[in-house]
C-alpha cells in the first residue's frame, strides 16, 4: 500500500510540475475508487495540483474531505487561496489554523506583498516575530520587497541587521531582495555595497542594480554595469534586456543640457547595441521586449527607428500603440499621433486610459491645448491621471485661469484629487497670485487629507509666498510632521521672493543644521539672497560650501555665483570663476556680461559679447539688454547702435521695449537727442513710463528743457502719482535758475498729493551669527 501511495504521489508531482490538470483529475479518480481518498499525504498533493492549475473550487473540496488535516493540509489550501489572490478567504483560514509554522506566515506575507498591501504584510511580519518565529530567506525577501515599495528604508535597515545576525547575508535570494530595496529607496551606495559583497551575483542582481542606477539618473553607470554583466558571462534573459532598454530610455527621456548631450548620445547608441543583442539572442518575437525597444527609441527621440521597429513587429498590442502615440507626442507630431489612434481603432484595438492620456500629452506638448481639451471632453469617465494631464497642459501654457476653473469642475463632478492634482492647481494659483483660490484648494487638500503631503505642502508654501503671505507659508512649513529638501527650498525661495533675504538666509542655515543637504536650487536661491543683500562675506561662505558639495560645475549654481560676485562688486572674482567653468550656457554668458554692465566695465562687456558670438553660443534678448546697458553706462554709443542694428539682421532677435530703452538712454547720455527722438517716433512702444523717465534724466544733464517738458508731460499722463517726473523736471528748472517754474512744479506735486519717497543706504555688518557652518 505504501509503495502504491509513493507511486501515486510521484505521478501527482509530475502533474503539478507540468500543470497537467486532466491527468491529475484521472489520478484523483483512481485514488477515490481505490479507497485512498483519506490518505492525508495524497490529498495534500491533490490540493497543490488544483492550486497550480487555478482550480480553487476542487482544491477546497479536497481539503474539506480530509478527515485528519495536518499543518501541511492547512498550508496547502492557504497557499491555494493566496496564489488565487483570495486574501479575505486566506485570512479566515489563517485565523482558523490550529497550528501554524513559518510556511503559513510566509504564504500570507508574500500574498499581501504581491497584491500591493505592503503595509499589511509588514504588520503580519511583526506579529510573526512577536510569536517567536525565525524568518527564513522567503520571509525576508518579501519583507525587503515591501520596504522597497513603501520606501521604508529605516525598517529595511533593521531587517538587514537581522539578516547579518542570523547568517543569511550570503544567501543570493535575500541579497537580491536587499539590493533591490536599497536601490528603490535611492540608497545606491548601500546597494553597490551589497552587490560588491556578493560572491556570485546573478542576472537578478545585475538587473536590480541597473534599475536603481537608472532611477537615480546614473545612466552611464547602469550601462557600464550591463557591459560588466556581458563580460562576466552572466545569463542574459528577456527581463535583463528589457531592464537595460529602460535604462537607455531613461537617458533619452531627460531634458539634457549641453553638458548632458553626450549622455543622451551614449544612451541612444547603447540602445542600438542592445537591439542588436536582442536579435542575436533570438528574442525578436518577445512582445514585452519589443515594447521596451519601442519605448527606448521613442524616448530617445529617434522616431524613424521607432516607426521601423513598430512596422516589423510580429505582434502588437495596445501597449505598442500607446508607445507610438507617446513617441509622436514627444516629437511634437500631434497629427501623426491622431492618425495612430484612428489606425489603432480601425484594426480593432480598444483604446485604454493610457491611450487617451498619451494623446492628451501629445496635444499639450505641441501647444495644441484646444485639441487636447476636445480629447479630454470626449472621454466618458476621465481618471484622475487624465484630469492631471489636462491641468498640466493649462499650467504649462500659462493658462492658469482655466487650470483653476478645471480644478473647480473636477470638484463639482466629485472626482477625488490626488497630490499631483492639488500641486498643479496650487502652482496655477501661485502663477497668477490668486490668493482666494489658493485658500480654497488648501481647504480641498485638508478634506482629501493631503495637506500633510510633502509635495502639496510645498505647493501651498509656494502659493502663499507668491501671494505675499509669508506668515501663512511659514505656518504650514512648521506644522509639517516631516520636511524634505523640497519644502525647505520652497520656504527659502518664498522669503527671498518677498525681499526677506535675511530671513531666507537664516532658514538656509537652519536647513543645514537639520542635516539637510542643499541642492542646486537651494544654492541658487541663497546666492540670490547674498546678491540682494550685497553680502560678499556670506557669499564667500556659500561659495565654499558649493565647492565642498561639488556643485561648482552646475551651470545654474555657477551662473548664480557670477551674479552674486558681480552684485557685490567682486567683478574680477566673477570673471575668474567664469573662466574656470567647464560648461557654459546662454544664462552664464548673460550673467557675466550683465555683471560688467553693472560695474561700469563697458569695454569688457562688449569684448565678452563678441567672445560669446565667436564661441557659437546664440545670444538671446537678455544678452542684448546686458550688452546695450553696458554700452549706455560706458559711453559706447556707436558700438551700442551697431549691436542694436545687428540684433534682428544677424541673430534673429526682435528688439523689444528694453532694447529700445537702452539705446535711448545711451543717446540721451551722449546728448544726441535728435537721434533719440527719431528712434522714439519709429519704435512700437511709446506708452511706457520707463523710456520717458530715462529720456527725462538725460535732459537734466544737458538742460534740454523743451524735450524735458515733453517727456515730463508724457510721464504725468501715464503715471500721474509718480514723484519722479516732478522731481527731475523741478531739478532742471532749479539748475537753470528758473525758480518760478521750479516752484510751480512743487506746487503741482502738493495739489496732486504726490509724495517723494525718502532714499536709504546700508552697510554690511558681520555679526557673530553670520556663520553658515553652524559652528
Amino acid at each position: 500500500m505504501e509503495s502504491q501511495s509513493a507511486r501515486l504521489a510521484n505521478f501527482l508531482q509530475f502533474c503539478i510540475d507540468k500543470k497537467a490538470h486532466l491527468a491529475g483529475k484521472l489520478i484523483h479518480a483512481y485514488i477515490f475508487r481505490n479507497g485512498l481518498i483519506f490518505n492525508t499525504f495524497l490529498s495534500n498533493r491533490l490540493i497543490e495540483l488544483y492550486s497550480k492549475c487555478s482550480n480553487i473550487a476542487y482544491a477546497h473540496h479536497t481539503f474539506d474531505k480530509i478527515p485528519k488535516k495536518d499543518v501541511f493540509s492547512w498550508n496547502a489550501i492557504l497557499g491555494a487561496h493566496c496564489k488565487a489572490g483570495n486574501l479575505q478567504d486566506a485570512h479566515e483560514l489563517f485565523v482558523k489554523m490550529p497550528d501554524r509554522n513559518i510556511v503559513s506566515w510566509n504564504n500570507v506575507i508574500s500574498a499581501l506583498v504581491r497584491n500591493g498591501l505592503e503595509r499589511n504584510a509588514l504588520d503580519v511580519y511583526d506579529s510573526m516575530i512577536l510569536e517567536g518565529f525565525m524568518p527564513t530567506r522567503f520571509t525576508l525577501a518579501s519583507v525587503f520587497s515591501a520596504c522597497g515599495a513603501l520606501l521604508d528604508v529605516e525598517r529595511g535597515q533593521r531587517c538587514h541587521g537581522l539578516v547579518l545576525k542570523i547568517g543569511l547575508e550570503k544567501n543570493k535570494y535575500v541579497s537580491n531582495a536587499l539590493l533591490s530595496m536599497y536601490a528603490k529607496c535611492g540608497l545606491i551606495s548601500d546597494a553597490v555595497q551589497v552587490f560588491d559583497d556578493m560572491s556570485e551575483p546573478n542576472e537578478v542582481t545585475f538587473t536590480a542594480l541597473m534599475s536603481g542606477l537608472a532611477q537615480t539618473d546614473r545612466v552611464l553607470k547602469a550601462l557600464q554595469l550591463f557591459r560588466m554583466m556581458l563580460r562576466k558571462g552572466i545569463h542574459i534573459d528577456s527581463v535583463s534586456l528589457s531592464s537595460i532598454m529602460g535604462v537607455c530610455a531613461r537617458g533619452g527621456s531627460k531634458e539634457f543640457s549641453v553638458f548632458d548631450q553626450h549622455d543622451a548620445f551614449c544612451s541612444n547608441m547603447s540602445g542600438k547595441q542592445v537591439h542588436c543583442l536582442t536579435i542575436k539572442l533570438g528574442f525578436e518575437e518577445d512582445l514585452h521586449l519589443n515594447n521596451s525597444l519601442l519605448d527606448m527609441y521613442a524616448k530617445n527621440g529617434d522616431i524613424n527607428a521607432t516607426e521601423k521597429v513598430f512596422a516589423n513587429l510580429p505582434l502588437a498590442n495596445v501597449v505598442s500603440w500607446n508607445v507610438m502615440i507617446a513617441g509622436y507626442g514627444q516629437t511634437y507630431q500631434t497629427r501623426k499621433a491622431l492618425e495612430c489612434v484612428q489606425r489603432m481603432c480601425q484594426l480593432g484595438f480598444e483604446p485604454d486610459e493610457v491611450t487617451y492620456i498619451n494623446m492628451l500629452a501629445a496635444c499639450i506638448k505641441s501647444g495644441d491645448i484646444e485639441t487636447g481639451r476636445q480629447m479630454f471632453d470626449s472621454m466618458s469617465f476621465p481618471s484622475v491621471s487624465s484630469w492631471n494631464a489636462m491641468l498640466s497642459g493649462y499650467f504649462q501654457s500659462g493658462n492658469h485661469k482655466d487650470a483653476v476653473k478645471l480644478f473647480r469642475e473636477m470638484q463639482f463632478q466629485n472626482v477625488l484629487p490626488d497630490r499631483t492634482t492639488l500641486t498643479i492647481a496650487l502652482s496655477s494659483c501661485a502663477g497668477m497670485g490668486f490668493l482666494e483660490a489658493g485658500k480654497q484648494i488648501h481647504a480641498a487638500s485638508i478634506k482629501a487629507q493631503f495637506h500633510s503631503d510633502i509635495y502639496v505642502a510645498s505647493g501651498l508654501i509656494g502659493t502663499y509666498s507668491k501671494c505675499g503671505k509669508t506668515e501663512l507659508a511659514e505656518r504650514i512649513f512648521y506644522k509639517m510632521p516631516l520636511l524634505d529638501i523640497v519644502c525647505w527650498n520652497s520656504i527659502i525661495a518664498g522669503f527671498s521672493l518677498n525681499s526677506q533675504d535675511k530671513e531666507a538666509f537664516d532658514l538656509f542655515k537652519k536647513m543645514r543644521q537639520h542635516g539637510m543637504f542643499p541642492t542646486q536650487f537651494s544654492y541658487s536661491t541663497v546666492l540670490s539672497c547674498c546678491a540682494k543683500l550685497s553680502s560678499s562675506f556670506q557669499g564667500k561662505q556659500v561659495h565654499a560650501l558649493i565647492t565642498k558639495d561639488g556643485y561648482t560645475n552646475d551651470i545654474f549654481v555657477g551662473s548664480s555665483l557670477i551674479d552674486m560676485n558681480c552684485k557685490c562688486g567682486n567683478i574680477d572674482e566673477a570673471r575668474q570663476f567664469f573662466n574656470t567653468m567647464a560648461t557654459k550656457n546662454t544664462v552664464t554668458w548673460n550673467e557675466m556680461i550683465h555683471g560688467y554692465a553693472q560695474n561700469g566695465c563697458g569695454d569688457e562687456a562688449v569684448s565678452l559679447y563678441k567672445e560669446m558670438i565667436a564661441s557659437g553660443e546664440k545670444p538671446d534678448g537678455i544678452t542684448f539688454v546686458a550688452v546695450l546697458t553696458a554700452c549706455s553706462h560706458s559711453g559706447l554709443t556707436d558700438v551700442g547702435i551697431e549691436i542694436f542694428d545687428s540684433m534682428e539682421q544677424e541673430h534673429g532677435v526682435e528688439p523689444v521695449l528694453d532694447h529700445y530703452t537702452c539705446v535711448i538712454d545711451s543717446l540721451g547720455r551722449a546728448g544726441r537727442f535728435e537721434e533719440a527722438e527719431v528712434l522714439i517716433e519709429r519704435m512700437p512702444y511709446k506708452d511706457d513710463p520707463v523710456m520717458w523717465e530715462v529720456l527725462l534724466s538725460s535732459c537734466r544733464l544737458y538742460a534740454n528743457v523743451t524735450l524735458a517738458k515733453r517727456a515730463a508731460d508724457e510721464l504725468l499722463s501715464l503715471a500721474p502719482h509718480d514723484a519722479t517726473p516732478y522731481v527731475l523736471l523741478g531739478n532742471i528748472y532749479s539748475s537753470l535758475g528758473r525758480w518760478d517754474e521750479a516752484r510751480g512744479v512743487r506746487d503741482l506735486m502738493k495739489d496732486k498729493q504726490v509724495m517723494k519717497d525718502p532714499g536709504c543706504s546700508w552697510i554690511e555688518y558681520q555679526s557673530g551669527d553670520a556663520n553658515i557652518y553652524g559652528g
Side-chain angles (χ1 to χ4, degrees):
M1 184 69 71
E2 286 181 6
S3 59
Q4 186 185 18
S5 296
R7 282 199 306 275
L8 289 169
N10 289 334
F11 287 143
L12 283 171
Q13 187 60 54
F14 178 81
C15 293
I16 291 167
D17 294 339
K18 299 294 181 182
K19 291 187 180 180
H21 187 229
L22 185 59
K25 286 176 80 174
L26 290 172
I27 295 170
H28 190 176
Y30 180 84
I31 291 169
F32 182 79
R33 216 170 32 245
N34 286 275
L36 299 172
I37 194 64
F38 301 120
N39 185 305
T40 303
F41 180 69
L42 290 177
S43 293
N44 291 346
R45 282 296 171 89
L46 283 168
I47 295 168
E48 287 181 50
L49 167 71
Y50 290 130
S51 172
K52 196 73 177 280
C53 296
S54 303
N55 193 338
I56 192 74
Y58 269 51
H60 222 299
H61 179 74
T62 305
F63 173 77
D64 290 339
K65 294 294 182 184
I66 301 173
K68 292 182 180 179
K69 300 177 179 68
D70 58 16
V71 70
F72 300 105
S73 311
W74 284 94
N75 280 338
I77 192 62
L78 178 66
H81 279 289
C82 287
K83 182 177 178 293
N86 302 331
L87 298 184
Q88 185 62 41
D89 293 333
H91 178 260
E92 289 174 7
L93 278 166
F94 185 73
V95 171
K96 287 179 185 175
M97 286 180 76
D99 293 300
R100 301 187 193 112
N101 61 11
I102 191 63
V103 176
S104 320
W105 291 96
N106 285 348
N107 271 330
V108 174
I109 293 168
S110 63
L112 289 167
V113 172
R114 280 197 309 273
N115 286 275
L117 299 169
E118 292 88 1
R119 183 64 63 195
N120 302 70
L122 293 177
D123 291 340
V124 173
Y125 169 73
D126 290 340
S127 300
M128 184 193 92
I129 297 297
L130 284 172
E131 290 197 19
F133 287 93
M134 183 66 71
T136 66
R137 58 182 182 140
F138 299 111
T139 324
L140 290 163
S142 294
V143 168
F144 284 134
S145 178
C147 292
L150 295 168
L151 303 181
D152 190 349
V153 71
E154 188 179 336
R155 187 190 284 261
Q157 287 170 330
R158 288 204 305 270
C159 289
H160 188 178
L162 182 60
V163 165
L164 297 171
K165 184 179 177 181
I166 63 178
L168 283 175
E169 70 274 13
K170 297 296 181 186
N171 183 277
K172 196 176 292 185
Y173 195 66
V174 173
S175 295
N176 283 340
L178 179 61
L179 186 153
S180 182
M181 183 273 294
Y182 280 130
K184 284 177 182 174
C185 293
L187 299 180
I188 294 301
S189 57
D190 294 290
V192 170
Q193 186 61 57
V194 174
F195 179 85
D196 291 340
D197 290 342
M198 293 179 71
S199 55
E200 293 182 9
N202 60 11
E203 66 272 18
V204 177
T205 321
F206 276 90
T207 302
L209 186 54
M210 283 189 298
S211 298
L213 288 165
Q215 182 184 312
T216 52
D217 288 333
R218 294 171 172 86
V219 173
L220 293 181
K221 291 282 185 188
L223 292 170
Q224 288 165 6
L225 189 68
F226 183 67
R227 293 190 185 102
M228 183 198 293
M229 188 178 179
L230 291 170
R231 285 197 303 272
K232 285 181 173 286
I234 303 293
H235 172 67
I236 305 291
D237 58 12
S238 61
V239 177
S240 309
L241 289 167
S242 182
S243 178
I244 196 62
M245 281 177 190
V247 170
C248 297
R250 193 174 183 91
S253 66
K254 289 197 298 181
E255 294 293 333
F256 284 101
S257 64
V258 176
F259 183 67
D260 293 320
Q261 280 174 3
H262 175 67
D263 290 11
F265 176 76
C266 287
S267 291
N268 201 32
M269 284 301 296
S270 298
K272 288 179 179 178
Q273 291 171 342
V274 176
H275 187 178
C276 293
L277 185 61
T278 301
I279 296 168
K280 182 181 176 182
L281 295 174
F283 286 109
E284 302 100 316
E285 304 290 321
D286 190 300
L287 180 58
H288 176 71
L289 200 52
N290 280 323
N291 285 339
S292 298
L293 190 60
L294 275 174
D295 187 55
M296 183 270 297
Y297 279 126
K299 284 181 178 166
N300 275 288
D302 193 344
I303 200 67
N304 291 330
T306 313
E307 288 175 332
K308 285 177 186 174
V309 172
F310 185 76
N312 292 313
L313 281 179
L315 186 68
N317 61 4
V318 174
V319 175
S320 318
W321 287 96
N322 287 345
V323 172
M324 284 304 300
I325 294 163
Y328 285 128
Q330 188 171 320
T331 52
Y332 306 97
Q333 299 183 63
T334 311
R335 185 180 56 79
K336 282 196 172 183
L338 281 166
E339 288 173 2
C340 212
V341 175
Q342 289 164 359
R343 281 175 53 213
M344 174 184 178
C345 294
Q346 287 166 3
L347 291 169
F349 290 94
E350 188 70 32
D352 60 10
E353 182 70 21
V354 177
T355 314
Y356 287 111
I357 291 174
N358 286 355
M359 192 59 237
L360 195 54
C363 295
I364 289 163
K365 187 148 189 154
S366 301
D368 190 355
I369 305 299
E370 190 177 337
T371 305
R373 184 57 194 260
Q374 289 171 4
M375 179 69 60
F376 177 79
D377 289 339
S378 71
M379 298 167 72
S380 303
F381 301 101
S383 69
V384 176
S385 298
S386 301
W387 285 94
N388 290 348
M390 196 63 237
L391 281 167
S392 179
Y394 281 133
F395 172 72
Q396 288 172 28
S397 63
N399 197 342
H400 302 307
K401 188 176 179 181
D402 279 341
V404 174
K405 189 178 175 183
L406 185 67
F407 176 79
R408 284 178 174 160
E409 189 180 323
M410 184 179 180
Q411 297 287 290
F412 291 139
Q413 293 192 24
N414 293 320
V415 179
L416 290 175
D418 62 10
R419 53 152 58 163
T420 305
T421 320
L422 294 163
T423 305
I424 297 170
L426 285 167
S427 298
S428 286
C429 292
M432 58 181 172
F434 195 172
L435 178 62
E436 197 55 42
K439 286 181 176 179
Q440 290 170 3
I441 294 167
H442 189 176
S445 73
I446 294 170
K447 185 180 178 183
Q449 297 187 330
F450 276 109
H451 58 290
S452 295
D453 180 87
I454 283 174
Y455 296 101
V456 174
S458 294
L460 285 167
I461 291 166
T463 300
Y464 285 129
S465 297
K466 287 186 179 174
C467 293
K469 300 291 182 181
T470 49
E471 69 282 358
L472 291 177
E474 195 173 13
R475 197 180 302 166
I476 289 165
F477 178 79
Y478 284 115
K479 278 186 177 179
M480 285 295 292
L482 184 69
L483 293 166
D484 70 348
I485 191 64
V486 179
C487 287
W488 282 99
N489 284 346
S490 295
I491 193 70
I492 292 168
F495 276 105
S496 177
L497 182 70
N498 287 279
S499 300
Q500 294 173 263
D501 297 294
K502 188 181 181 302
E503 291 84 350
F505 198 88
D506 290 341
L507 276 165
F508 177 77
K509 289 194 291 182
K510 279 185 185 177
M511 179 183 84
R512 295 193 69 255
Q513 287 162 6
H514 278 77
M516 286 286 170
F517 291 98
T519 63
Q520 296 96 318
F521 185 79
S522 317
Y523 281 125
S524 293
T525 306
V526 80
L527 284 169
S528 173
C529 294
C530 295
K532 286 189 282 181
L533 291 167
S534 298
S535 178
S536 178
F537 171 72
Q538 290 174 327
K540 285 178 179 177
Q541 285 189 312
V542 176
H543 191 171
L545 283 175
I546 288 166
T547 305
K548 180 185 171 188
D549 288 350
Y551 283 115
T552 49
N553 288 328
D554 183 88
I555 286 178
F556 298 102
V557 174
S559 300
S560 298
L561 267 170
I562 292 167
D563 177 57
M564 182 274 297
N565 276 307
C566 290
K567 283 180 177 168
C568 292
N570 303 327
I571 195 70
D572 292 334
E573 288 183 34
R575 184 57 192 265
Q576 283 173 13
F577 180 76
F578 176 85
N579 291 340
T580 62
M581 288 183 75
T583 311
K584 302 176 182 73
N585 65 3
T586 306
V587 176
T588 321
W589 289 93
N590 289 351
E591 290 291 3
M592 194 65 239
I593 295 168
H594 188 244
Y596 277 132
Q598 286 175 311
N599 287 272
C601 305
D603 290 321
E604 290 86 346
V606 172
S607 176
L608 189 62
Y609 163 75
K610 290 178 179 176
E611 194 179 316
M612 177 184 181
I613 303 299
S615 74
E617 191 71 52
K618 187 173 174 59
D620 59 12
I622 297 170
T623 315
F624 287 107
V625 169
V627 73
L628 290 172
T629 301
C631 292
S632 172
H633 291 181
S634 300
L636 303 172
T637 307
D638 291 328
V639 175
I641 291 170
E642 185 183 329
I643 291 171
F644 178 78
D645 290 339
S646 73
M647 282 179 64
E648 199 160 10
Q649 296 170 11
E650 296 178 25
H651 304 289
V653 178
E654 185 181 351
V656 295
L657 175 64
D658 288 341
H659 304 117
Y660 282 103
T661 303
C662 287
V663 177
I664 289 166
D665 182 42
S666 185
L667 290 166
R669 285 171 187 258
R672 293 158 65 168
F673 293 111
E674 287 183 12
E675 293 172 69
E677 286 188 273
V678 169
L679 184 61
I680 288 170
E681 291 305 320
R682 69 181 178 90
M683 67 183 280
Y685 313 95
K686 293 186 179 66
D687 295 332
D688 185 79
V690 176
M691 178 196 69
W692 293 108
E693 193 176 308
V694 163
L695 191 62
L696 184 54
S697 298
S698 299
C699 291
R700 181 193 170 204
L701 292 172
Y702 289 93
N704 188 332
V705 179
T706 306
L707 189 55
K709 187 72 171 67
R710 181 194 169 188
D713 288 342
E714 292 283 355
L715 270 172
L716 291 173
S717 66
L718 291 168
H721 296 288
D722 183 9
T724 305
Y726 296 98
V727 173
L728 289 173
L729 187 60
N731 288 342
I732 292 172
Y733 285 136
S734 298
S735 64
L736 294 172
R738 295 165 66 165
W739 306 112
D740 291 341
E741 287 156 299
R743 191 179 300 110
V745 171
R746 284 196 297 275
D747 291 342
L748 188 61
M749 281 183 74
K750 285 180 184 177
D751 291 343
K752 293 187 177 288
Q753 296 183 328
V754 177
M755 300 295 292
K756 178 180 177 294
D757 293 328
C760 68
S761 61
W762 69 89
I763 61 169
E764 180 181 346
Y765 173 65
Q766 296 176 16
S767 63
D769 65 348
N771 192 334
I772 62 171
Y773 291 94

